[in-house]
Amino acid sequence: MKIVFIGASSLAIATAELLLQGDHEIIIIEKDKAVIDELIEKIDCVFMHGNGSKPAILKETDPDSIDVVFCLTKSDEANIIASLVARSLGIQRVITRIEDVEFEHICIELGLNDTIIPTLNNARYLANIAAGRNILELSAIIRGNVRLFSFIADETCEEPVGDLDLPKHSRVIFLYRDNVFQPTDEETKLKQGDEVVLVTTTDEYEQLHEKWSNGKAM
């Protein structure tokens, strides 16, 4: 695969190093020349000096050949803009890093479905460790073609979970209402703004995404 990183953050470099083990083509775009000079001898990939939020810079990477773009700068705003630019150039898979959770719904509304919040995820993990809980890694239980999908309910979804027109192998498993976990059953009535989480399959994921365009993989 051809993978482009916008921003040479520590997360970007660590991810790039892992991907290079699989012989993928890696391009890192970084606007700080000093950072490039420091890294160029340490990691065997292509570096480009420039602002990855600028369409002209990203066009130099031949967007039609790119499989994935990771927007991993230290600025949420820059990552969102760079993601939108990448999407406008026809790149289908764009991963957007944000730190401020208030941007999450904005990303969903903009169609940036692959949004990650590393600090929040790490904080939850550390809090569980501190509490002495034995956390089962999600990767250990999500196997084969099983996937998780979530969407934000709008006014058209204010109905019981059991009335949702879901594909055969897809099920609602819980929701977040005002960021509070809430289990669901067939009678649970959705409200506008609920983040609804489903378990589904790879094949049915696309059907769900077509139905709820603000949805995202989890």
Side-chain angles (χ1 to χ4, degrees):
M1 292 193 297
K2 181 176 179 179
I3 301 167
V4 173
F5 289 85
I6 298 177
S9 63
S10 58
L11 177 60
I13 297 305
T15 306
E17 288 177 332
L18 289 173
L19 289 168
L20 283 168
Q21 295 175 19
D23 294 326
H24 299 295
E25 181 182 355
I26 304 296
I27 298 173
I28 298 176
I29 302 173
E30 171 56 48
K31 64 181 181 180
D32 189 336
K33 184 63 164 54
V35 172
I36 294 176
D37 291 341
E38 181 180 349
L39 292 171
I40 200 165
E41 300 297 329
K42 299 179 180 179
I43 181 169
D44 185 19
C45 67
V46 174
F47 284 92
M48 291 180 57
H49 180 219
N51 185 344
S53 299
K54 300 285 187 179
I57 296 296
L58 202 51
K59 284 180 181 178
E60 292 183 22
T61 65
D62 186 14
D64 291 341
S65 66
I66 295 173
D67 295 288
V68 186
V69 169
F70 286 96
C71 300
L72 303 180
T73 76
K74 296 178 181 179
S75 166
D76 290 354
E77 293 87 346
N79 290 336
I80 292 171
I81 293 172
S83 298
L84 294 174
V85 169
R87 291 289 297 275
S88 74
L89 295 175
I91 300 168
Q92 296 300 310
R93 191 77 195 276
V94 180
I95 314 299
T96 311
R97 171 186 176 169
I98 58 173
E99 294 295 339
D100 188 340
V101 295
E102 292 186 7
F103 282 118
E104 185 174 17
H105 277 214
I106 294 174
C107 288
I108 293 172
E109 291 172 3
L110 291 172
L112 302 177
N113 302 313
D114 291 317
T115 301
I116 60 171
I117 313 176
T119 300
L120 180 59
N121 291 340
N122 290 338
R124 287 171 175 165
Y125 184 71
L126 292 174
N128 282 312
I129 290 177
R133 303 186 184 101
N134 183 17
I135 304 301
L136 181 63
E137 289 289 343
L138 189 61
S139 59
I141 58 175
I142 301 298
R143 304 171 188 165
N145 70 337
V146 176
R147 298 187 68 178
L148 294 182
F149 176 85
S150 74
F151 69 93
I152 304 299
D154 58 22
E155 65 277 1
T156 66
C157 300
E158 293 186 332
E159 58 184 347
V161 166
D163 291 346
L164 292 175
D165 182 20
L166 299 176
K168 181 178 179 180
H169 300 293
S170 299
R171 301 286 186 277
V172 174
I173 50 178
F174 63 88
L175 62 82
Y176 291 109
R177 180 168 293 163
D178 298 324
N179 289 322
V180 177
F181 168 82
Q182 180 173 317
T184 61
D185 57 31
E186 295 275 305
E187 303 301 321
T188 302
K189 187 173 181 179
L190 300 180
K191 294 183 178 180
Q192 185 174 358
D194 288 347
E195 182 177 3
V196 186
V197 182
L198 303 88
V199 60
T200 187
T201 65
T202 302
D203 293 337
E204 293 184 355
Y205 171 85
E206 294 302 330
Q207 298 178 48
L208 293 173
H209 193 270
E210 289 179 6
K211 185 176 180 65
W212 290 290
S213 60
N214 65 11
K216 63 176 182 176
M218 298 186 69

